[in-house]
Structure formats: structure tokens, C-alpha cells
Amino acid sequence: MRKFVYLLVKPYRKRYLIGIMALLFVNFTQSYIPGLIRNTVNGISEGLLDSGGILKEVSWILGLALFMAIGRWAWRIYVMGTSRIIECDLREKLYLHFETLSQNFYNNQKTGDLMAHATNDVGAVRQALGNGVLLTFDAISLIAMSFILMLKTNPSLTIYSLLPLPIMVFVSVFLSRIIGARFRVVQEEFANLTGKVQENISGIRVVKAFGQEKAEIENFRTANKKNFQAQIAMVRIANLMRPLSMLVGAATFIVVIWYGGSLVIEGTLLFGDLMAFTMYLGNMTWPLLNLGWLFNLLNRSKASMLRLWELFSAEVEVKDGCLTNSVLDKISGDIEFRNLSFNYPNSDLVLEDINWKIKKGSKVAIVGKTGSGKTTIAELLLRVYNPNPRELLIDGRDILEYPLKTLRDNISEVPQENFLFSATIAENIAFGKTDAAISEIETASKKADVYDNIMDFPEKFQTRVGERGVTLSGGQKQRVAIARALIKNSPVLILDDSLSAVDTATEDLILNNLRASSEEKTVIIIAHRISTIEDCDDIIVLDEGRIIERGKHQELVALGGFYAELYRMQLLEEQIKQYA
Ligand code: ADP
């Protein structure tokens, strides 16, 4: 973790150095001024200073105060400002890391937790690198300088006046431990609360459809209350810190006035010296009062840094292969599954002994019951998950050897669950080819048979979809997703149940367009409707992760197995629809 903090701070070492130098300069001056005041007061009371002398001393003090103001400004800019820059860097690093983490990581995380990391934990690190650094240097330098000057003024007065301080340090350390523990609970409850809100807003349709608003509000109320109680438990202790420290601080001053006053009356201490002494003590008390707060801040930040460090240490499973982009930036589309077996972490085998050769340019299909492993095949081809070595080959090479960019540039997918971003329709279609000309976007939308729908929207291709935009129907969304895959014009195209939300006539139209424009392409269609795949070159039927039938449509119908039965049922359904 230390290395992690060092890497964050390293590029800004110079800025920190300037800021800390400015801080030390200010503290040095602040410790120097009481001496000047002492000389002036002693000079006045002993009649050694005339009005010109007083003016000279006062001008010095004024000049130094001005320098201190400049110094304070500099350390604010150089330390606090830099901590903001590091916060910005850290957010960016975290986001980049989120983008590289594999699907398996996200399958095991709650979005709410990740959001909490990105906001609270990054903020806590900023506080440590801003206020934390400042207060640490401030405390060390001011306490040390004041202590030396106090000892120089009067050693016995120093010892008496500092007697109550160990109590203060003990109280600070003790309370900050409790605060640290309670802060961790606050973080957990906050993550839980944000998670609940995020999940409920995303799933609002299901909540409403099942009439669960009341129950969900109740759940939220419980989470909200727990968060509130955790906050209160923390604040109760945190707020004890200041009054207690001030009490101890006041006790030290009482000792100084009482004992120091008697020394002045005895004549062993000059009045100016007592004044300077109280000022040194004042200089020292403020950072001491802040010690508890500082421990508390550093403790909280440490917890946040640990959580972030764990997040950054999460393994990126799906990585680039050993071949460089320049060697392999194009693939032609020969695919081979060679005795492929696969299981998700903590799951049984999902695919077993898959042997299948897909020739470049062929149109093939996968059918099978839900859960038989069809989507898993598509995900392995896109390397959302890692297959075992040498079990999945593309153009004769192990898929694991390819750079991810090559794979994803050359393989387009229309996933089962279409996700459109809160952007314009044009931006959504051009998502995988951001430099696409508008004519390309139009052509892709025509092939996906969604052009006319788009032209009916008030702002056509510039219509915003998603949050605060128009709502597309399931079929329209699906076709925008098809256009988004087609515009990439990649040699391999995977359609994962991508025509389920369109009617049969639209489906025919899209398939005809696809056939006309993808002669050279390898197309893999995962489908439930046999009409979608009737003229495919090769069809496999999956059941519980195994291939149970394979061949062309006619061959499979003649086989009289699962496929033939599925076909018979669908024909029957069509006939019923016609007569109805
Ligand atoms: P299909 O596309 O044929 O409906 P899938 O490939 O989606 O089937 O799923 C095959 C099997 O793998 C199912 O039993 C499913 O529950 C399981 N599965 C899918 N994704 C995961 C995952 N991330 N972790 C564990 N098991 C999974």
C-alpha cells in the first residue's frame, strides 16, 4: 500500500516540497513573533524604548505578518491544491482500472459498493494527502519550535504547563480508534444504501410491475435508518473530541497564569516573558488540539486506501495475448472448438467436449434450451471469459494469443441484452466506429431495418435515447443494436437471440440484408426460431453443454430428434396463428 501512495504522490514531489517549505517558513515566523513582542513589552516596562523604537518593532511584526499571509496562501495552493490534482488522477486511474477488469470481477461486485469507492474512498485519500500532510508537518514543526522556545523562556514553567497534555494525547488516541471503527461501519452502511437506490432505480419497472413499491420503500427506510444510526454513533464520539481537548487546553492556561503569574510577582520572570510564553503555548495548543482529529483523519484514510489498494490489486484475468497487434490485426474468420470444456468460477461444467469447425464465410447456428450454453459460446469467442489453452482456435491460432483489440475489432456481437447509452441514436450506432460518416450510420440502420423508425423521431438520428431521452421499443432497441454491430463491418458476426423482439416479416428482411452484405463473413446465429436459421450451412444443437445433434436443416429434421420436434412445434404454432 505504501508503494501505491508513493506512486500517487511521486509526480508532485516538488509541489509538496514547496508547500511544506512555505509551511515551515510560516511556522518559524509565527514562533519568532512572540520574541519580538516580548522585547517590545520588556523594553516598554523597563523604559528602554521610545516611541520611535516601538514603531520600529511594530513595523517588523507587521512585515512578518504580511510574509506569513503570503506563505499561508502558498501552502494552501501547493499542498491542498495538489491533493485535488491527485484526487483527479486517482479517479481517472480507478476508472481506467474498472474498464480493464474482467466480467468475473463484476459478477461478484455490487455497483453501489464500487460507486462508494469512487466517491468516498477517493475523497478520504485526498483529505489525507491535503489536510493530513499539512496538519502532520504543522503539528511536528510548531510543537517542536514552541517547546524549545518555552524551555528557553522558563524550564519549570514549561514542565508545569505541559502536565495536562499527556491526558489530551491519550484521550485523542483512544477516541480516534473508536471513531475509526465506527467510520468503517458508516462506509459499509453508505455503500449498502447507495446499492439499494441504484438497484431500485435500475429495476423500477419490475418493482412497479410486481406492486412492490411499499416493500421497497420499507427496505430503503431500514437501510437509510441504519446509515443514519451509524453516522450518529460516529458523530457522537467525534464531537466529544473538540470539547475535551479544549478543556485540557484551558487547564494548561490556568497553570501558566497561576504559576507564571506568581513568578512575575516574585520577580523571577519578566512580564514580557510571560506574555511570550502564553503565545508559544497558544501556538502549540492549536496543533495539539488537532492531533485527535489528525489521527482520526489518518485512520479513516488508511481504511480507504486499503480498500482502494485491494481494488487496484484485483487481478485482470482477461489480458492481451503474446502476439502483437501489428502481427495480427486482421482475422479471416476460421473458427475451431477443439474438445472445448468450460466452467465459470464456482460452477459445474457449462460446456463439455465441444468439437466444431466453422469455416471462414460460413453461416452457422446454435440452438438449444435455455441454459444449454449458447451465450457462453459467444462470450468465449469475444473472450469475455478465458477458455482453456488450445481449445478455441481462430485462423488456426489459440484465441488466447490474440490481442484483445484484434478480437474485438474483428468480431461483432449483438448481445441478448441490448444496452443503449444515454446518447444520440447516431452515437449509439457508431459506438464501435466513432469516426463513422453519417452515410455509414444510415446504411447500417437501413440494413437493420430501423431507418424508417429513426426518421419518424423528431430529431431523427440526433434523438437522444435512454435517460432523459425517448424510450425505444424492445424491437427498435434490438435493431439499433444490430446496426451498431453491422457498422463495424467485421469478418465475424455473432447474433445472440437478436431477432426475438421483431416480427417474422422484419426478421426475413434483416436476414436478407445480412445475407446480401455478408457473403465473406462468418456469421454465428443463436436462435430460438427455426425460420431464422433454416438455410444455415451448419447447425449444432446443445443440451446441457454438449452437442447432441448437428447438420443442415433438412438433415436435422430427418433425424427426428430435439431439432425436428422444435421445428414441428413451431410449424404448428404458425398454422394456428394463420387460422386464428
Ligand atoms: P443459454 O445461452 O443457452 O441460455 P448460457 O450460456 O447463458 O445458456 O448459460 C449456460 C449455463 O451457465 C447456465 O446454467 C447458467 O446458469 C450458467 N452461467 C451463465 N453465466 C454464468 C456465470 N457468470 N457464473 C456462473 N454460471 C453461469
Side-chain angles (χ1 to χ4, degrees):
M1 193 187 81
R2 281 207 189 122
K3 195 174 158 215
F4 167 59
V5 178
Y6 174 70
L7 286 178
L8 285 177
V9 172
K10 197 178 159 203
Y12 306 107
R13 280 173 302 183
K14 267 195 201 143
R15 290 182 66 97
Y16 269 110
L17 200 68
I18 298 175
I20 289 165
M21 295 301 284
L23 177 86
L24 294 181
F25 165 76
V26 168
N27 285 353
F28 185 77
T29 317
Q30 195 171 333
S31 304
Y32 185 71
I33 287 179
L36 287 180
I37 293 179
R38 178 192 52 208
N39 292 346
T40 318
V41 172
N42 286 345
I44 294 169
S45 51
E46 287 171 15
L48 300 173
L49 276 182
D50 57 6
S51 57
I54 296 176
L55 191 69
K56 209 174 122 197
E57 295 286 338
V58 169
S59 314
W60 258 109
I61 295 171
L62 203 70
L64 287 176
L66 198 71
F67 267 115
M68 273 169 64
I70 298 171
R72 285 208 168 98
W73 170 82
W75 61 245
R76 287 220 139 253
I77 297 285
Y78 280 96
V79 178
M80 302 295 270
T82 311
S83 72
R84 292 266 172 202
I85 302 176
I86 293 180
E87 180 186 29
C88 180
D89 283 359
L90 183 58
R91 283 231 162 86
E92 187 171 320
K93 280 197 176 73
L94 191 59
Y95 184 72
L96 287 180
H97 188 62
F98 279 156
E99 292 281 315
T100 55
L101 282 170
S102 321
Q103 189 60 43
N104 267 332
F105 170 84
Y106 288 102
N107 292 344
N108 295 317
Q109 291 283 333
K110 280 201 275 177
T111 318
D113 284 356
L114 297 178
M115 297 300 288
H117 283 307
T119 46
N120 283 1
D121 287 344
V122 172
V125 172
R126 193 235 325 137
Q127 287 238 325
L129 296 180
N131 266 329
V133 168
L134 271 181
L135 288 179
T136 307
F137 279 92
D138 199 36
I140 295 173
S141 58
L142 259 188
I143 293 172
M145 286 180 203
S146 306
F147 183 66
I148 293 169
L149 292 166
M150 280 159 74
L151 271 181
K152 252 180 90 180
T153 312
N154 191 307
S156 62
L157 184 58
T158 309
I159 291 168
Y160 281 121
S161 65
L162 295 185
L163 274 183
L165 286 184
I167 307 173
M168 195 159 108
V169 174
F170 175 75
V171 168
S172 287
V173 173
F174 178 70
L175 289 186
S176 70
R177 286 234 171 105
I178 304 180
I179 294 170
R182 295 193 177 186
F183 178 71
R184 275 190 285 282
V185 180
V186 167
Q187 291 285 74
E188 277 163 27
E189 292 301 342
F190 181 72
N192 186 24
L193 184 71
T194 35
K196 268 232 139 30
V197 174
Q198 192 270 338
E199 204 168 88
N200 265 283
I201 292 179
S202 311
I204 192 76
R205 232 187 105 353
V206 182
V207 174
K208 283 189 184 299
F210 283 79
Q212 287 301 306
E213 292 96 326
K214 268 206 182 126
E216 287 304 322
I217 289 169
E218 209 36 61
N219 280 341
F220 173 80
R221 202 169 272 150
T222 312
N224 199 12
K225 205 165 173 187
K226 277 190 175 167
N227 180 50
F228 168 75
Q229 282 163 345
Q231 292 271 8
I232 290 291
M234 186 184 79
V235 165
R236 223 178 253 147
I237 297 289
N239 281 348
L240 262 184
M241 196 87 112
R242 189 140 289 225
L244 276 180
S245 327
M246 287 186 113
L247 196 69
V248 183
T252 60
F253 273 96
I254 290 169
V255 173
V256 171
I257 302 295
W258 172 68
Y259 181 65
S262 61
L263 290 180
V264 173
I265 293 168
E266 273 174 24
T268 41
L269 189 72
L270 290 175
F271 181 63
D273 285 14
L274 180 63
M275 253 184 105
F277 193 91
T278 33
M279 291 176 88
Y280 295 139
L281 190 62
N283 282 351
M284 181 193 247
T285 318
W286 184 243
L288 273 173
L289 287 182
N290 270 328
L291 265 192
W293 193 80
L294 177 63
F295 283 137
N296 175 20
L297 172 83
L298 294 180
N299 250 342
R300 278 190 300 177
S301 308
K302 196 174 155 199
S304 290
M305 277 180 198
L306 269 174
R307 268 195 299 271
L308 285 172
W309 175 235
E310 271 168 27
L311 200 63
F312 276 109
S313 315
E315 196 200 346
V316 178
E317 289 168 37
V318 176
K319 294 185 203 144
D320 279 334
C322 54
L323 299 169
T324 56
N325 251 339
S326 52
V327 178
L328 282 177
D329 57 358
K330 201 102 199 100
I331 64 178
S332 56
D334 270 317
I335 297 168
E336 184 183 350
F337 294 83
R338 201 182 272 177
N339 279 331
L340 180 136
S341 294
F342 178 79
N343 66 291
Y344 292 99
N346 310 321
S347 88
D348 294 333
L349 277 187
V350 170
L351 292 171
E352 215 174 330
D353 281 333
I354 304 289
N355 282 294
W356 192 23
K357 276 189 181 171
I358 305 172
K359 277 220 196 79
K360 168 191 164 195
S362 62
K363 314 287 173 269
V364 301
I366 311 173
V367 242
K369 288 185 212 149
T370 311
S372 56
K374 305 182 293 294
T375 298
T376 306
I377 288 193
E379 287 180 332
L380 290 177
L381 276 168
L382 281 158
R383 265 196 76 201
V384 176
Y385 300 99
N386 282 333
N388 295 323
R390 289 175 298 285
E391 290 188 356
L392 177 51
L393 295 96
I394 293 190
D395 295 348
R397 283 179 198 270
D398 190 346
I399 192 169
L400 297 174
E401 290 180 6
Y402 285 86
L404 292 173
K405 187 172 179 334
T406 305
L407 283 179
R408 289 158 191 180
D409 278 353
N410 285 275
I411 303 178
S412 300
E413 190 209 18
V414 185
Q416 210 167 13
E417 277 173 33
N418 294 308
F419 182 87
L420 298 186
F421 293 91
S422 321
T424 64
I425 294 182
E427 283 162 342
N428 266 293
I429 295 179
F431 185 68
K433 193 177 182 201
T434 39
D435 58 348
I438 186 72
S439 58
E440 288 176 82
I441 296 173
E442 283 176 2
T443 311
S445 68
K446 280 179 189 160
K447 279 188 200 159
D449 196 37
V450 69
Y451 180 81
D452 290 342
N453 294 108
I454 296 171
M455 295 316 272
D456 283 343
F457 292 133
E459 289 177 69
K460 313 209 168 6
F461 277 91
Q462 295 313 314
T463 308
R464 294 192 77 80
V465 293
E467 285 163 26
R468 284 185 280 150
V470 299
T471 313
L472 300 188
S473 73
Q476 287 166 346
K477 255 193 188 171
Q478 217 170 35
R479 281 173 288 144
V480 170
I482 295 176
R484 175 170 67 188
L486 291 181
I487 202 167
K488 278 172 69 186
N489 201 20
S490 42
V492 179
L493 177 65
I494 305 172
L495 301 174
D496 187 355
D497 209 7
S498 312
L499 297 162
S500 56
V502 299
D503 56 60
T504 352
T506 313
E507 175 184 319
D508 279 346
L509 204 97
I510 297 174
L511 286 173
N512 283 334
N513 291 343
L514 266 181
R515 257 175 235 118
S517 64
S518 60
E519 256 171 41
E520 303 275 293
K521 290 188 180 132
T522 308
V523 182
I524 302 172
I525 305 176
I526 296 172
H528 284 280
R529 244 187 255 157
I530 300 286
S531 57
T532 321
I533 55 170
E534 255 173 82
D535 52 4
C536 279
D537 304 313
D538 193 15
I539 301 167
I540 60 166
V541 181
L542 283 183
D543 186 35
E544 294 187 3
R546 287 177 166 276
I547 300 179
I548 51 164
E549 293 169 23
R550 68 171 72 205
K552 288 192 189 331
H553 171 73
Q554 286 307 338
E555 293 163 359
L556 288 172
V557 172
L559 211 62
F562 175 90
Y563 185 92
E565 180 60 15
L566 189 67
Y567 182 55
R568 202 178 61 79
M569 299 284 286
Q570 289 184 4
L571 276 184
L572 216 64
E573 263 175 42
E574 282 300 312
Q575 283 165 3
I576 293 169
K577 264 192 219 154
Q578 275 173 14
Y579 289 119

